[in-house]
Amino acid sequence: MAGARAAAAASAGSSASSGTPQPQEPGLGELLEEFSRTQYRAKDCSGTGGSKVERIEKRCLELFGRDYCYSVIQNVNGDICGHYPQHIVFLEYESSEKEKDTFQSTVQVSKLQDLVNRSKTARCRGRFVCPVILFKGKKAWEKPNQKTPENHLTLKMRFLSQHICRSATLAGWGELYGRTGYNYIFSGGADDAWADAEDVTEEDCALRSSDTHLFDKVRGYDIKLLRYLSVKYICDLMVENKKVKFGMNVTSSEKVDKAQRYADFTLLSIPYPGCEFFKEYKDRDYMAEGLIFNWKQDYVDAPLSIPDFLTCSLNIDWSQYQSWDLVQQTQNYLKLLLSIINSDDDSGLLVHCISGWDRTPLFISLLRLSLWADGLIHASLKPAEILYLTVAYDWFLFGHMLVDRLSKGEEIFFFCFNFLKHIISEEFSALKIQRRKSLPARDAGFTVEDICMLRRKDRGSTTSLGSDFSLVMESSPGAAGSFTYETVELVPAGAQTQAAWLTALSERETRLQEVRSAFLAAYSSTVGLRAAAPSPSGAIGLLEQFVRGVGLRGTSSSTL
């Protein structure tokens, strides 16, 4: 791994300054054509077809670099995971243009690399816990230990950031033994999936045949990685407790870990239908309304389980989850995830299903687009750019098998972006959730929204509250812990403020609709929708509505 932000910029700058003609940036149409024809594997990127993938990856790095400083976990030729990006981005903090030129990593990259290598065996298919979204939407006030010489107490505002992560579920003993045995044989006897040679003791060798010791060791590294990433909440989308194939438990999950190794995390079981269910969505002419999953199937044994403290503010009757159609279920789960990341200042979130390449990217992509629409992440990206980033990075480079899914009619990928029309309203806005957060200085009665309206009396100008902004207050000798505000005044949050918030929500709707329209147009001209048989009533289906809505024409439904 390396702090590759500056290196990537330098490489791009040197090639541009040399006068060499630069290839045109890959567009969404080119990306979708590649995605629908080829299954991405990191090990295949060195061949002739690898140049297209390299361009896609380079474009993703450039888009991430617009708003963030980042480091890169190197996964060249799939050395860590065969169906993760070759360059896995670790976002560190939001940055201005000036900060990008003086980027200094804030993480121990060697330690993170080591944790990734050690923990990958714990997860199905080696798909380890990987941070993919940096959510920087929380403001906090720090009080220094000492007062200034002028007897002023300075409160500094800082941002608390959270990593939203993705992975596969935990590997079961069948895969775990198979993978560690494979690694042992083909590494010449050096089982680096466990530990470095100097870390292996005689006791380890003696106990390695024990199931308990094996899981303690491997899952212990997984837990260390989760803690390093400050993950507190783990959301499991599986409808099973364990995935069973040929009578063998091939995967497990945190919620059924017998030794309760994950007891210190907040575990949520939010069962969501797998990709097979989305064939029904396609067969219903891409209509998700009224489409309800059959929860009575034999393999479905994971009930919905959410701690009460996470549900009390959502006004959702969770006991009715088996009666929800696909729209309601997806909406309510997204509300839950947004509520979680807004409810805790510095704790991260992990979302996973079984393999982590169907349901997981669905919700990761929806989270990324929803937070972007609110202006909370990727602030400089335009609709076409955020769409390219989430299709390329969240779906293609993390191994979604679009070719296979299309051949089976399991169009969960299309569902994700068509679903944006269902989350444009205020109830899905993270801005709404954040508005009434309280400050530590409760005696003053101010909220974060109020503080953002502060301005200095002596200058009469609005003060920009950056991450290094200091609010200077006179220490009050009359009462401990209270302050007298003499250098600032509060601008009432009246009609002007309210108008600004509605504006924001209207912009959210516009931005998401632009993303959806751009996706539908590109998808129609490249991948194409597979129309179901026309209904006897002659009703206009989604395909015809789409063509009329965006002004496209096609010779047949198969080309749309």
Side-chain angles (χ1 to χ4, degrees):
M1 184 194 298
R5 172 61 187 84
S11 174
S14 61
S15 59
S17 62
S18 65
T20 304
Q22 297 300 303
Q24 186 178 4
E25 292 175 344
L28 182 62
E30 178 185 339
L31 169 62
L32 288 176
E33 287 180 353
E34 180 71 13
F35 196 4
S36 62
R37 290 199 304 255
T38 307
Q39 175 60 49
Y40 167 79
R41 286 293 181 265
K43 66 180 181 179
D44 299 329
C45 294
S46 58
T48 305
S51 59
K52 292 183 179 179
V53 177
E54 288 176 358
R55 290 180 63 205
I56 292 171
E57 285 201 279
K58 185 177 180 180
R59 177 64 170 156
C60 288
L61 293 177
E62 189 270 326
L63 293 174
F64 277 121
R66 296 272 190 90
D67 299 285
Y68 299 95
C69 284
Y70 61 82
S71 292
V72 171
I73 303 173
Q74 296 294 352
N75 183 38
V76 179
N77 297 321
D79 292 340
I80 304 175
C81 180
H83 21 76
Y84 271 14
Q86 286 199 105
H87 308 288
I88 302 170
V89 175
F90 182 89
L91 300 176
E92 298 196 29
Y93 53 86
E94 291 183 0
S95 58
S96 64
E97 289 299 324
K98 292 182 179 179
E99 289 174 320
K100 292 173 185 176
D101 295 332
T102 59
F103 169 60
Q104 292 183 343
S105 179
T106 60
V107 298
Q108 301 176 38
V109 291
S110 60
K111 180 177 181 180
L112 182 57
Q113 182 77 56
D114 181 64
L115 284 174
V116 165
N117 281 315
R118 291 171 182 264
S119 67
K120 63 182 180 181
T121 315
R123 297 270 163 183
C124 177
R125 304 180 188 273
R127 295 173 66 88
F128 59 89
V129 177
C130 185
V132 288
I133 299 175
L134 184 66
F135 180 52
K136 187 177 181 180
K138 308 293 170 50
K139 303 177 179 69
W141 296 88
E142 284 185 335
K143 184 169 67 174
N145 295 328
Q146 296 180 347
K147 297 179 182 178
T148 63
E150 296 81 10
N151 200 34
H152 287 172
L153 184 62
T154 301
L155 294 181
K156 290 190 175 182
M157 188 169 71
R158 65 184 177 92
F159 285 99
L160 298 174
S161 301
Q162 296 168 283
H163 287 290
I164 299 174
C165 305
R166 64 182 295 171
S167 73
T169 190
L170 295 177
W173 68 267
E175 179 179 3
L176 195 55
Y177 274 115
R179 186 175 297 276
T180 52
Y182 177 91
N183 289 339
Y184 183 82
I185 294 171
F186 289 96
S187 61
D191 189 1
D192 58 0
W194 287 82
D196 294 332
E198 60 267 25
D199 293 333
V200 180
T201 64
E202 290 184 2
E203 182 182 5
D204 287 333
C205 295
L207 295 174
R208 191 168 279 188
S209 61
S210 167
D211 283 0
T212 301
H213 181 74
L214 177 63
F215 284 116
D216 283 345
K217 192 88 172 183
V218 174
R219 292 184 181 175
Y221 285 129
D222 181 65
I223 290 171
K224 286 182 179 180
L225 178 58
L226 287 167
R227 288 174 175 164
Y228 184 81
L229 298 171
S230 298
V231 170
K232 178 180 178 181
Y233 304 96
I234 300 178
C235 295
D236 183 350
L237 296 164
M238 295 170 59
V239 298
E240 313 97 330
N241 285 320
K242 297 181 179 182
K243 184 68 174 179
V244 179
K245 283 190 175 182
F246 309 111
M248 177 187 297
N249 293 330
V250 292
T251 72
S252 184
S253 61
E254 300 89 352
K255 61 182 178 283
V256 292
D257 180 73
K258 293 180 180 179
Q260 296 188 335
R261 300 173 184 88
Y262 295 84
D264 291 339
F265 299 90
T266 301
L267 306 180
L268 296 88
S269 174
I270 49 174
Y272 189 84
C275 60
E276 301 87 354
F277 182 64
F278 287 83
K279 185 179 187 305
E280 296 186 39
Y281 165 69
K282 176 256 179 185
D283 290 344
R284 297 178 81 249
D285 205 9
Y286 301 89
M287 298 295 291
E289 294 86 348
L291 179 57
I292 301 175
F293 180 67
N294 179 12
W295 297 95
K296 298 186 183 300
Q297 299 173 81
D298 292 340
Y299 70 93
V300 178
D301 60 358
L304 184 139
S305 177
I306 309 170
D308 291 340
F309 74 92
L310 291 175
T311 63
C312 56
S313 63
L314 291 176
N315 194 29
I316 295 173
D317 185 357
W318 295 96
S319 66
Q320 298 299 311
Y321 78 97
Q322 294 188 356
S323 66
W324 295 339
D325 65 16
L326 187 58
V327 173
Q328 292 172 300
Q329 188 176 22
T330 310
Q331 285 178 325
N332 289 338
Y333 283 10
L334 181 61
K335 288 179 185 177
L336 175 65
L337 297 177
L338 289 169
S339 176
I340 289 173
I341 62 177
N342 275 286
S343 66
D344 203 306
D345 288 333
D346 57 0
S347 295
L349 167 71
L350 169 63
V351 178
H352 76 74
C353 49
I354 296 178
S355 294
W357 54 33
D358 290 306
R359 289 167 284 186
T360 297
L362 165 63
F363 282 97
I364 291 295
S365 195
L366 290 177
L367 281 171
R368 192 184 299 279
L369 290 169
S370 182
L371 294 172
W372 165 83
D374 288 334
L376 297 175
I377 63 173
H378 302 291
S380 71
L381 298 190
K382 299 175 183 178
E385 293 170 333
I386 191 66
L387 174 59
Y388 185 95
L389 179 63
T390 191
V391 170
Y393 196 75
D394 297 330
W395 289 90
F396 176 62
L397 293 175
F398 270 90
H400 175 66
M401 298 190 294
L402 183 60
V403 178
D404 176 78
R405 301 300 184 250
L406 289 174
S407 69
K408 298 176 181 176
E410 299 167 353
E411 299 206 31
I412 187 173
F413 173 66
F414 176 83
F415 169 80
C416 174
F417 296 95
N418 192 42
F419 184 77
L420 294 177
K421 64 184 177 180
H422 295 294
I423 62 169
I424 60 177
S425 67
E426 176 185 2
E427 59 185 321
F428 298 96
S429 172
L431 290 173
K432 176 186 177 184
I433 302 173
Q434 289 180 9
R435 275 189 286 187
R436 304 309 301 178
K437 295 293 181 182
S438 297
L439 289 172
R442 293 185 179 89
D443 291 338
F446 292 145
T447 65
V448 169
E449 182 181 348
D450 297 329
I451 289 297
C452 288
M453 302 300 294
L454 290 174
R455 67 182 181 186
R456 296 185 182 276
K457 276 186 177 180
D458 53 348
R459 295 183 183 176
S461 61
T462 302
T463 302
S464 176
L465 299 183
S467 59
D468 58 348
F469 173 75
S470 297
L471 181 63
V472 181
M473 307 171 182
E474 292 287 350
S475 178
S476 172
S482 63
F483 304 99
T484 302
Y485 295 80
E486 296 186 351
T487 59
V488 294
E489 70 173 352
L490 184 66
V491 177
Q496 205 169 17
T497 305
Q498 293 300 322
W501 284 109
L502 295 170
T503 302
L505 294 171
S506 175
E507 183 178 358
R508 170 188 172 84
E509 178 178 354
T510 300
R511 298 177 92 187
L512 288 177
Q513 291 286 25
E514 287 184 18
V515 169
R516 178 174 176 267
S517 296
F519 174 83
L520 291 175
Y523 193 90
S524 172
S525 63
T526 53
V527 181
L529 296 173
R530 276 67 172 172
S535 62
S537 63
I540 298 177
L542 177 143
L543 299 181
E544 180 64 22
Q545 293 178 40
F546 165 63
V547 172
R548 293 182 180 183
V550 300
L552 297 178
R553 294 180 180 177
T555 56
S556 68
S557 60
S558 62
T559 62
L560 289 177

